[in-house]
Amino acid sequence: MKKSKLLIVLFIANIQILFAQNPHLTGVVKISVLNGTIESDLEYSNLPKLNNYSIWLNAGLNLRYFRDKEDKFNYGNIKYYDDEISNEAFQYYFPDLENKGRFLPEKFKINYVGKFPVISDTLKANNRGDWKGNIAFNGKNIRASEQTAWYPIIYDIENDVALNKVTYDIIIDCIDCESIYLNGSSPVKGKTANFKSDKPISMMLFAGLFDFTKNKNTYFINTDLNSEQEKVLGNWTDKIVEFYENKLKIPYGNSVTYLYTTPISKRNAWMFVTYPTIAIIGQESYNVKSYFTPNTNSLKDNSNIEYFAHELGHYYFGTVIVPNSELRWFFLEGLTEYLALQTVKDVLGEESYRAKIDTYLKETKDYIPKSLATIKNSEIDETYRYYYVPLLVTALEIEVGKEKVWNWLRTVLKSEKLIKTDYDFFKSTLIYSGIKESEFKKFEENYILSEKAKENVKKIVK
Ligand SMILES: [Zn+2]
């Protein structure tokens, strides 16, 4: 009896330690989707003790002040830009008294404003140039993911971790909106809403003129689907999620929210995830309705299921573990694409699987991949991420067996949060998960270190 009580106390203490590290954000954010403005008056609390950190804030936002928790004085701050760390944000820190180091109070206030181009007419819009990290005003809505740093984000330099998951109690006040959605909460009708989350979450904001529906547990935001079409999409989602849960043995958590909106460029069309939101961005001809044969409830083809498999996989590589360091893109995009490949085989079948492998082979035909052992994160380009990595891991799978690869993926996902996902991590997790040292050596020699690494990968995968 006593023992179990002690255990419960320890358990609760552990939970508190876990939660104590999540920054808490409160305050008011005022928006106009027609003027392209953001005005924020926020307070950050529950901040971790860090002396090697920066505070990210989107480069289009102008700081009014950083201020102490009692509202008595402003903090002096140093501002800089480093696009290797964040392309989107300026970085700030508070110098300590001797001006030698950085100090972070447990709590501070921050106030800032910004005005962004509203691109409602694509006639003069750029062909491309919209991306997840863009604060996008398309004339009807604002779309701002955590990557934009539309809210201040604490970056732990030591561990290369951006603490973008926060608990919040925030009022969004949007003068010309009909609806507002803040990731982690249900969407709300109205010009103003108070959103609260006790669970730490990456804040993606979507507000403006849009409708939303709820089908079972899934929200469909601005997707304009009928309820049968929603069911079709929901069923595919369930199938994919079930496959992942089965293989990775980690429950998926919340049901996803689908969100559609147009880009502020002529041609960008893509999907991204800020869990649990899956955002689909594209001009009207690429909207979610376009996945269906006109006036029916059946999908035109399964190509979008493949994209959804990839995006849903980002719950694991992107949320459960947030890769960083030299192999960030290998783990974040490469392994997610490998997961999607496995899903395609399971839910769509062998033919779709082969077609996907053929695409990877075609896309890497003239590509000269650098060795995974020495590649720098910035060198892991799109071809490497989306086409070469899934081939490389497929070669591993053929060499050591599928079960061992699943074991490895589970090991990676269960590693501690502050670990650096570099080549040492790649190697040590493979060994730890049960791949023999000799098996690894052979794989490394043939497919990573060899002059003919790519040829060897292609040969075995074909
Ligand atoms: Zn991805």
Side-chain angles (χ1 to χ4, degrees), residues 84 95 157 194 205 306 310 367 408:
E84 288 276 320
I157 295 174
N194 187 359
L205 175 67
E306 297 183 16
H310 177 100
Y367 188 69
W408 170 55

mmCIF file of all heavy atoms in Angstrom, residues 84 95 157 194 205 306 310 367 408:
data_model
loop_
_atom_site.group_PDB
_atom_site.id
_atom_site.type_symbol
_atom_site.label_atom_id
_atom_site.label_comp_id
_atom_site.label_asym_id
_atom_site.label_seq_id
_atom_site.Cartn_x
_atom_site.Cartn_y
_atom_site.Cartn_z
ATOM 1 N N GLU A 84 20.898 30.108 -41.013
ATOM 2 C CA GLU A 84 21.161 28.670 -40.837
ATOM 3 C C GLU A 84 20.273 28.110 -39.724
ATOM 4 O O GLU A 84 19.942 26.932 -39.716
ATOM 5 C CB GLU A 84 22.631 28.454 -40.449
ATOM 6 C CG GLU A 84 23.604 28.687 -41.585
ATOM 7 C CD GLU A 84 23.754 27.455 -42.480
ATOM 8 O OE1 GLU A 84 23.783 26.342 -41.936
ATOM 9 O OE2 GLU A 84 23.819 27.636 -43.710
ATOM 10 N N PRO A 95 21.150 40.302 -22.634
ATOM 11 C CA PRO A 95 22.514 40.133 -22.125
ATOM 12 C C PRO A 95 22.525 40.225 -20.597
ATOM 13 O O PRO A 95 21.712 40.954 -20.029
ATOM 14 C CB PRO A 95 23.280 41.300 -22.752
ATOM 15 C CG PRO A 95 22.240 42.303 -23.111
ATOM 16 C CD PRO A 95 20.950 41.582 -23.325
ATOM 17 N N ILE A 157 19.804 26.800 -27.624
ATOM 18 C CA ILE A 157 20.939 26.679 -28.551
ATOM 19 C C ILE A 157 21.758 25.430 -28.234
ATOM 20 O O ILE A 157 22.132 24.668 -29.126
ATOM 21 C CB ILE A 157 21.838 27.941 -28.476
ATOM 22 C CG1 ILE A 157 21.046 29.160 -28.973
ATOM 23 C CG2 ILE A 157 23.128 27.754 -29.285
ATOM 24 C CD1 ILE A 157 21.758 30.485 -28.812
ATOM 25 N N ASN A 194 -11.411 33.248 -26.999
ATOM 26 C CA ASN A 194 -10.363 32.954 -26.020
ATOM 27 C C ASN A 194 -10.008 31.472 -26.119
ATOM 28 O O ASN A 194 -10.820 30.616 -25.817
ATOM 29 C CB ASN A 194 -10.904 33.303 -24.626
ATOM 30 C CG ASN A 194 -9.839 33.183 -23.551
ATOM 31 O OD1 ASN A 194 -8.696 32.824 -23.825
ATOM 32 N ND2 ASN A 194 -10.203 33.472 -22.328
ATOM 33 N N LEU A 205 -1.988 29.441 -36.543
ATOM 34 C CA LEU A 205 -3.173 30.291 -36.546
ATOM 35 C C LEU A 205 -3.770 30.337 -37.945
ATOM 36 O O LEU A 205 -3.045 30.501 -38.930
ATOM 37 C CB LEU A 205 -2.777 31.701 -36.101
ATOM 38 C CG LEU A 205 -3.864 32.774 -36.158
ATOM 39 C CD1 LEU A 205 -4.969 32.505 -35.137
ATOM 40 C CD2 LEU A 205 -3.249 34.154 -35.915
ATOM 41 N N GLU A 306 -1.316 8.914 -51.053
ATOM 42 C CA GLU A 306 0.128 8.817 -50.822
ATOM 43 C C GLU A 306 0.655 10.047 -50.094
ATOM 44 O O GLU A 306 1.492 9.942 -49.210
ATOM 45 C CB GLU A 306 0.875 8.646 -52.154
ATOM 46 C CG GLU A 306 0.503 7.360 -52.852
ATOM 47 C CD GLU A 306 1.293 7.132 -54.134
ATOM 48 O OE1 GLU A 306 2.328 7.804 -54.334
ATOM 49 O OE2 GLU A 306 0.860 6.275 -54.932
ATOM 50 N N HIS A 310 2.255 10.381 -46.168
ATOM 51 C CA HIS A 310 3.475 11.107 -45.785
ATOM 52 C C HIS A 310 3.159 12.106 -44.660
ATOM 53 O O HIS A 310 3.821 12.114 -43.622
ATOM 54 C CB HIS A 310 4.059 11.821 -47.011
ATOM 55 C CG HIS A 310 5.271 12.659 -46.696
ATOM 56 N ND1 HIS A 310 6.558 12.234 -46.927
ATOM 57 C CD2 HIS A 310 5.380 13.885 -46.134
ATOM 58 C CE1 HIS A 310 7.408 13.163 -46.534
ATOM 59 N NE2 HIS A 310 6.714 14.191 -46.046
ATOM 60 N N TYR A 367 21.637 11.784 -60.043
ATOM 61 C CA TYR A 367 21.954 12.446 -58.776
ATOM 62 C C TYR A 367 23.212 11.845 -58.154
ATOM 63 O O TYR A 367 23.408 10.632 -58.175
ATOM 64 C CB TYR A 367 20.763 12.275 -57.830
ATOM 65 C CG TYR A 367 20.851 13.046 -56.548
ATOM 66 C CD1 TYR A 367 20.753 14.431 -56.536
ATOM 67 C CD2 TYR A 367 21.021 12.383 -55.327
ATOM 68 C CE1 TYR A 367 20.825 15.145 -55.355
ATOM 69 C CE2 TYR A 367 21.087 13.088 -54.134
ATOM 70 C CZ TYR A 367 20.990 14.461 -54.158
ATOM 71 O OH TYR A 367 21.056 15.159 -52.990
ATOM 72 N N TRP A 408 14.160 -0.562 -35.387
ATOM 73 C CA TRP A 408 15.033 0.617 -35.366
ATOM 74 C C TRP A 408 14.191 1.904 -35.306
ATOM 75 O O TRP A 408 14.465 2.804 -34.509
ATOM 76 C CB TRP A 408 15.944 0.617 -36.600
ATOM 77 C CG TRP A 408 16.696 1.897 -36.789
ATOM 78 C CD1 TRP A 408 17.513 2.501 -35.872
ATOM 79 C CD2 TRP A 408 16.688 2.752 -37.938
ATOM 80 N NE1 TRP A 408 18.029 3.672 -36.386
ATOM 81 C CE2 TRP A 408 17.533 3.850 -37.653
ATOM 82 C CE3 TRP A 408 16.070 2.690 -39.178
ATOM 83 C CZ2 TRP A 408 17.762 4.882 -38.567
ATOM 84 C CZ3 TRP A 408 16.308 3.720 -40.087
ATOM 85 C CH2 TRP A 408 17.137 4.793 -39.785
#
